[in-house]
Amino acid sequence: MTVPLLELRNVTKYYGNILALRDITTSVNAGEVTCVLGDNGAGKSTFIKIIAGAHQPSEGQLLIDGEEVLFDSPRDALNLGIATVYQDLAVVPLMSVWRNFFLGSEPTKSIGPFRRIDKATASRVAKEELAKMGIDIRDVEQSVGTLSGGERQSVAIARAVYFGAKVLILDEPTSALGVKQSGVVLKYIIEARKRGLGVIFITHNPNHAFPVGDRFLILNRGRSMGDYRKGEVNRDELIRLMAGGAELEALTKELESAAKKDAALAAMAEEFAEEVGQLEERAEH
Amino acid sequence: MTAVATKDQSDSDPSVDERLVYRGPIQRLLTRPDIGTLVGAVGLFLFFWAVSDVFGIAAGTANYLDVSAGLGIMAVVVSLLMIGGEFDLSAGAMTGATAMLVVLLSKPQGEFGGAGLSLHIAVPLSLLFALGIGYFNATVVERTGLPSFIVTLGSFFTLIGAKLGFAKLFTDKVIVEGLDVAAGYEFWNAFFGATWIRNEHLFASRDLTFAVLLITGSVLTLVGLLELSFTPRRPTRPAGLGVLVVGAAAAAFGLRQLVDTDTVAANWTYGLVVGAGVLVGMAGLGAWKYQPATAVSARGGPNLGRVAMGLVAVAAGCLAAVRLDASSTKVLGFLLTVQGLRAILFVGLVAVGLGMLFGAARRGGSSFFRFVVSMIISAVLVGVAFLVKGESQAVRFRSTAFAVLLLVALVNAGTAWLRLKHLPRNQAEPVADRLGRVLSIGGLLSMFAAVAVRLLFMTQAEVDATRAVITYRISILFFLGSAVVASWILANTKFGSWTFAVGGNKLAARAVGVPAARTKRTLFMTVSGAAWLVGMLLAFRLNSVQANVGDGNEFLYIIAAVVGGNLLTGGYGSAAGGAIGALLMAMSFQGIPFSRWNSDWRFLFLGVILLLAVLANRYVRSKAEETR
């Protein structure tokens, strides 16, 4: 049994007298996608903030590579290879793609007062790295604001991968996107997993989670409704668990209609996952 | 000239994406945030150059540069801060506060005296004071999350009150004075009070140097722009080089003779030699270096209507110039003389007409049709030039405007020929791009040097003829320096990138590890440091400082920054834009009295300029986004 990249043991978080998260235990392995599913108010945001270092758990432990850690700031988490891509604040729209890609870690050349960004290297590497992730940007000089929503998320993901993230936390990356765009983002999640990253994929859409996840943590009202491996649970059970029994019928209907809409997408993503799996097997042989 | 890159080109060069429409360096330059302001500033300069007698000469230049310097140093750093997403309303009051502080600190002790410190202590101390205010502003904004607009408004009133209160408390007056008696005055005056007196700097061959630099610069810029606009030919054709050399030699010979001779017949002869030399040289350059044109299909029908309308407008303008009485100062209705109406009608109609013709020459119809339209433009320009020479009263129109119009006509004809015969650039060419860029930037610098030489030096004849003393202050150097340094930092350094990032999306910037608080603090302290510099320039210039100096200027800085294309909400803009905005404002402030108009109108003028600039910026940016 390998040591998981990141592990939560009995993590609980209070805000004053509000119990936001209760007794959560889960783990993320290298090359695996752990999906965290939950409806609004289930505790997903608190969960992210604890892993990303923005909040400290009130009780319980956070382990990285088997060692207990305590984050004081998001910077600490980043230094340990935990990169978070937030849904709405992934990029600076008015800046060019390459400037966004290297923002905060710009390569420089020359010294002293003449130290400046190595623009040629930066734009070349950005183009190459994006291409490696299968993201085909027309011109890295164009501003990110001109990209589509899915492409922006993808740029943020590629950036995290390039800068040596071990664990990638994606906060609702598909929630604001159309079917096709969501498919693009799911493709990059699989791509990141293939590169050996541990991915935490937070979503309220089981149809997006199911095809790419290796592990599913279901949150409801701050509690874990179960932590399943792929194969231990099917899509309908996920939906039921997410709803937590309450207003089950209405929710199921709603999700069913969503599922119809997403059927094409799910099929696409599943197909892609299989393809990648076959490729991996072939590569291993 | 844009063209879609074709499939086989992208095959040969993997860095070219076939989905991209090629945008050359010239098009990309046009999408800069400050380009609208630059065009506006050039337009305003030409306007005041035309309507006033002193604006275009050294006296006027020294005047409006002096006004723009204090404004411009601050506009540059306020632009930086604005790109970083913040305001500093205390910037204006701070210039006065540091100036006052240094006087109070260095004033001898005694009743109604100061602290009696040496300037070696007082000057650095006032810098620390300014940086401290910047630090304070930044920290409060950062810690509380309040808008900087409110926080610095508080600092603004505090400084205003403190200036007046302390001035009255210590000196019992609203003015503090006597900097020049402080210890160390000589030393610091060399930094902040230095001047360049034009009348004391003689340069016998100034006009020759000016002409050589100007001509070299124009030629380099022209060749550089052509290099950026046409597809290079590989291999080159040496025969073309021969033609180029012959043309250039003819032009140089003609120019030389024009300078040496002074009869009408000789002027005509050698003027034509120069013209022919330039045209032959340009054609030779094309034949030598650029790919011949392939058959280009017409894009849309020929714009015959536009050509006709353009010609009618030009003719109407010229008719107005000929028929209306140039010397009449009879007032027509409100504010307008016959003279003024004539100028407005002539310039306005001719400009509109030429604009239409240029539009028709750019698109629509076959390449031969567009060539013909370009030739018509050149003919119109020549005609207008001779009309100006014949009809105008002022020497600057009869000589300078006449020569410039003829040269524009010449270059327009030459490029029209090149566009007809050669293939425009439709893909990036690293070597040609670099060469073109170096040549055009070098050419612009050479022209800049030419103007500088002319402004800075005098000939003995001029000194004998005039009693006016023209003085340039060191603040102009600081202004230039701050614009150049700030632009470089913004474009090339991490800090520049971070400034855009914290202004564009602070949370995203912070999430990827940009030290947002530190970046903003540095920006606030840069503004207060610059306010200190402007305060020192003021104090050493005037020796005395009034309590209300600088109050209210913060809005001028912000206006200059906005006129310069900086986004009020942050994340987009340019430092050079702020500098050009300040220049534009100073020109309009000083140009009005120079034109002998009532300067009561200047704020009306400023308001209109602000609105026009913002509209122009918006338009330019939407155009820029379209081509992306």
Side-chain angles (χ1 to χ4, degrees):
Chain A
M1 179 81 197
T2 55
V3 181
L5 273 178
L6 185 141
E7 196 177 353
L8 276 77
R9 285 189 193 156
N10 311 104
V11 166
T12 297
K13 176 71 187 174
Y14 311 100
Y15 296 109
N17 63 348
I18 298 163
L19 196 55
L21 214 55
R22 193 185 298 179
D23 204 20
I24 303 294
T25 300
T26 190
S27 62
V28 186
N29 290 320
E32 277 189 14
V33 178
T34 296
C35 296
V36 179
L37 290 140
D39 209 358
N40 294 338
K44 297 186 305 248
S45 311
T46 309
F47 181 85
I48 302 171
K49 283 175 182 161
I50 288 176
I51 306 173
H55 288 326
Q56 287 76 46
S58 309
E59 287 168 20
Q61 299 161 304
L62 192 60
L63 291 91
I64 289 191
D65 294 330
E67 283 183 36
E68 193 178 343
V69 291
L70 202 62
F71 296 142
D72 283 330
S73 73
R75 189 85 229 180
D76 287 355
L78 207 57
N79 288 342
L80 283 172
I82 299 177
T84 311
V85 176
Y86 292 98
Q87 173 194 343
D88 47 350
L89 43 80
V91 288
V92 186
L94 283 169
M95 292 175 79
S96 67
V97 170
W98 72 261
R99 278 196 195 256
N100 262 290
F101 191 90
F102 281 99
L103 190 59
S105 319
E106 292 88 350
T108 54
K109 63 181 179 187
S110 189
I111 47 160
F114 297 106
R115 206 161 82 122
R116 58 192 186 272
I117 300 175
D118 188 350
K119 287 184 191 172
T121 308
S123 48
R124 181 176 48 79
V125 172
K127 177 124 188 158
E128 280 170 13
E129 288 302 315
L130 289 168
K132 269 191 217 164
M133 286 290 288
I135 308 165
D136 190 7
I137 296 286
R138 290 175 286 275
D139 179 6
V140 288
E141 285 288 347
Q142 79 187 103
S143 68
V144 165
T146 60
L147 300 180
S148 67
E151 284 175 318
R152 290 185 209 190
Q153 289 282 339
S154 311
V155 169
I157 295 172
R159 171 173 70 192
V161 171
Y162 175 71
F163 285 108
K166 289 189 294 187
V167 180
L168 188 60
I169 307 169
L170 302 172
D171 177 19
E172 305 264 5
T174 57
S175 68
L177 302 180
V179 172
K180 209 168 168 191
Q181 302 253 326
S182 299
V184 172
V185 172
L186 293 186
K187 206 174 96 183
Y188 299 137
I189 292 177
I190 295 162
E191 191 74 33
R193 179 180 71 178
K194 198 172 85 181
R195 288 165 151 237
L197 275 81
V199 180
I200 299 178
F201 174 26
I202 290 137
T203 180
H204 58 246
N205 191 335
N207 298 307
H208 290 172
F210 197 75
V212 297
D214 296 295
R215 198 180 175 113
F216 303 93
L217 170 68
I218 297 106
L219 294 179
N220 188 269
R221 300 163 77 88
R223 285 170 187 275
S224 166
M225 303 298 290
D227 187 6
Y228 302 94
R229 296 204 64 80
K230 198 182 183 94
E232 292 174 356
V233 68
N234 64 36
R235 192 176 311 194
D236 295 337
E237 280 171 331
L238 278 182
I239 295 170
R240 214 183 56 240
L241 287 163
M242 270 178 76
E247 301 166 53
L248 178 64
E249 219 167 305
L251 188 68
T252 313
K253 268 188 190 151
E254 191 185 313
L255 282 170
E256 264 172 8
S257 71
K260 264 178 214 153
K261 212 167 41 177
D262 287 354
L265 157 70
M268 189 175 111
E270 253 168 292
E271 229 169 68
F272 187 77
E274 269 168 34
E275 251 172 57
V276 171
Q278 284 167 4
L279 280 176
E280 273 168 0
E281 270 170 37
R282 222 177 290 159
E284 273 163 30
H285 292 149
Chain B
M1 295 279 115
T2 53
V4 181
T6 55
K7 185 79 179 76
D8 53 342
Q9 277 156 352
S10 62
D11 280 349
S12 62
D13 182 356
S15 73
V16 174
D17 194 310
E18 80 283 355
R19 289 163 302 176
L20 276 181
V21 172
Y22 171 71
R23 282 173 60 231
I26 300 172
Q27 281 95 350
R28 251 183 273 156
L29 191 70
L30 291 179
T31 66
R32 281 185 58 93
D34 41 23
I35 210 73
T37 324
L38 186 62
V39 172
V42 171
L44 197 68
F45 174 84
L46 289 178
F47 175 72
F48 281 123
W49 175 81
V51 298
S52 87
D53 290 330
V54 278
F55 199 80
I57 63 175
T61 312
N63 185 295
Y64 71 74
L65 277 184
D66 193 39
V67 174
S68 65
L71 201 59
I73 295 172
M74 294 308 294
V76 165
V77 289
V78 165
S79 298
L80 291 184
L81 185 66
M82 204 188 269
I83 293 168
E86 304 289 346
F87 286 105
D88 189 349
L89 295 185
S90 65
M94 216 182 321
T95 59
T98 50
M100 176 167 272
L101 183 68
V102 83
V103 178
L104 281 178
L105 285 175
S106 60
K107 202 172 164 63
Q109 284 172 322
E111 200 192 357
F112 301 135
L117 296 173
S118 151
L119 278 176
H120 296 305
I121 299 168
V123 170
L125 217 55
S126 56
L127 174 61
L128 278 183
F129 165 78
L131 294 179
I133 292 181
Y135 186 85
F136 172 82
N137 282 339
T139 310
V140 174
V141 167
E142 199 53 44
R143 286 282 160 79
T144 60
L146 287 168
S148 52
F149 200 87
I150 298 299
V151 173
T152 55
L153 194 63
S155 318
F156 165 67
F157 282 119
T158 311
L159 283 174
I160 289 186
K163 280 195 297 183
L164 190 59
F166 281 114
K168 295 269 263 191
L169 180 66
F170 289 123
T171 66
D172 204 28
K173 282 189 278 187
V174 292
I175 184 165
V176 297
E177 55 209 342
L179 189 71
D180 51 352
V181 295
Y185 177 78
E186 290 301 319
F187 176 80
W188 290 102
N189 193 44
F191 285 101
F192 300 122
T195 54
W196 174 282
I197 297 165
R198 186 173 183 241
N199 304 50
E200 291 174 1
H201 293 85
L202 295 181
F203 185 9
S205 50
R206 181 199 69 177
D207 290 338
L208 179 66
T209 315
F210 169 74
V212 168
L213 282 173
L214 193 66
I215 291 168
T216 317
S218 321
V219 171
L220 286 181
T221 310
L222 177 63
V223 175
L225 290 178
L226 294 176
E227 196 69 26
L228 292 174
S229 310
F230 290 97
T231 304
R233 175 187 197 127
R234 291 201 197 83
T236 53
R237 205 169 59 171
L241 179 59
V243 177
L244 169 63
V245 170
V246 169
F253 169 75
L255 213 54
R256 178 83 212 153
Q257 294 298 316
L258 266 185
V259 173
D260 287 345
T261 57
D262 202 21
T263 63
V264 174
N267 280 352
W268 271 102
T269 315
Y270 294 119
L272 288 176
V273 170
V274 172
V278 170
L279 288 180
V280 168
M282 282 176 81
L285 178 72
W288 174 37
K289 291 204 73 167
Y290 305 131
Q291 197 77 260
T294 45
V296 183
S297 59
R299 285 169 291 166
N303 274 320
L304 282 170
R306 227 185 240 196
V307 175
M309 264 155 45
L311 286 174
V312 168
V314 171
C318 293
L319 195 67
V322 176
R323 296 303 293 269
L324 288 169
D325 183 2
S327 55
S328 165
T329 50
K330 200 179 88 187
V331 177
L332 296 171
F334 175 64
L335 267 181
L336 195 66
T337 60
V338 172
Q339 214 178 21
L341 182 69
R342 173 176 177 261
I344 290 172
L345 281 180
F346 175 62
V347 173
L349 285 171
V350 169
V352 167
L354 282 174
M356 284 178 168
L357 289 173
F358 271 114
R362 280 191 66 82
R363 58 183 71 83
S366 65
S367 55
F368 184 72
F369 171 77
R370 295 201 301 268
F371 171 72
V372 170
V373 176
S374 291
M375 284 302 157
I376 293 175
I377 292 174
S378 281
V380 165
L381 283 169
V382 171
V384 169
F386 278 98
L387 183 75
V388 166
K389 191 178 172 65
E391 287 284 317
S392 178
Q393 318 286 321
V395 179
R396 62 178 179 280
F397 293 115
R398 287 206 305 271
S399 61
T400 313
F402 174 69
V404 169
L405 282 171
L406 285 187
L407 271 178
V408 171
L410 197 57
V411 169
N412 180 59
T415 43
W417 173 258
L418 288 176
R419 275 209 302 275
L420 176 68
K421 283 287 169 191
H422 298 284
L423 193 64
R425 278 277 280 288
N426 50 17
Q427 67 184 97
E429 295 278 349
V431 178
D433 276 352
R434 195 171 311 135
L435 180 65
R437 219 173 273 149
V438 167
L439 285 177
S440 42
I441 291 173
L444 288 175
L445 286 178
S446 171
M447 287 197 263
F448 179 80
V451 173
V453 164
R454 192 164 176 108
L455 288 176
L456 287 175
F457 297 98
M458 278 181 115
T459 56
Q460 189 60 48
E462 274 179 340
V463 174
D464 295 339
T466 179
R467 272 184 300 166
V469 176
I470 292 162
T471 306
Y472 299 99
R473 294 177 190 283
I474 196 167
S475 51
I476 296 170
L477 267 190
F478 280 115
F479 171 40
L480 264 181
S482 65
V484 170
V485 170
S487 301
W488 188 83
I489 286 177
L490 217 42
N492 291 305
T493 66
K494 283 185 169 201
F495 180 76
S497 236
W498 296 349
T499 302
F500 281 108
V502 295
N505 187 345
K506 188 175 153 195
L507 293 175
R510 187 172 279 167
V512 294
V514 170
R518 201 177 80 204
T519 306
K520 292 207 170 186
R521 199 186 310 132
T522 313
L523 287 170
F524 270 109
M525 289 171 75
T526 308
V527 171
S528 56
W532 167 82
L533 174 62
V534 172
M536 291 307 105
L537 294 169
L538 269 174
F540 279 85
R541 172 175 186 174
L542 302 170
N543 280 324
S544 62
V545 181
Q546 283 215 338
N548 66 351
V549 161
D551 297 354
N553 282 0
E554 49 284 326
F555 289 104
L556 298 183
Y557 309 152
I558 291 173
I559 292 169
V562 173
V563 167
N566 292 289
L567 208 57
L568 265 172
T569 45
Y572 184 80
S574 101
I580 300 168
L583 198 62
L584 200 148
M585 284 168 65
M587 284 200 289
S588 63
F589 273 156
Q590 301 310 110
I592 289 172
F594 282 160
S595 310
R596 303 217 187 87
W597 296 336
N598 188 340
S599 55
D600 295 345
W601 296 98
R602 66 179 190 171
F603 279 103
L604 187 146
F605 208 77
L606 186 65
V608 172
I609 285 180
L610 177 63
L611 276 175
L612 285 180
V614 176
L615 289 177
N617 283 336
R618 212 183 68 100
Y619 175 76
V620 168
R621 206 164 61 238
S622 68
K623 282 277 160 204
E625 293 296 330
E626 262 172 37
T627 59
R628 278 182 181 183

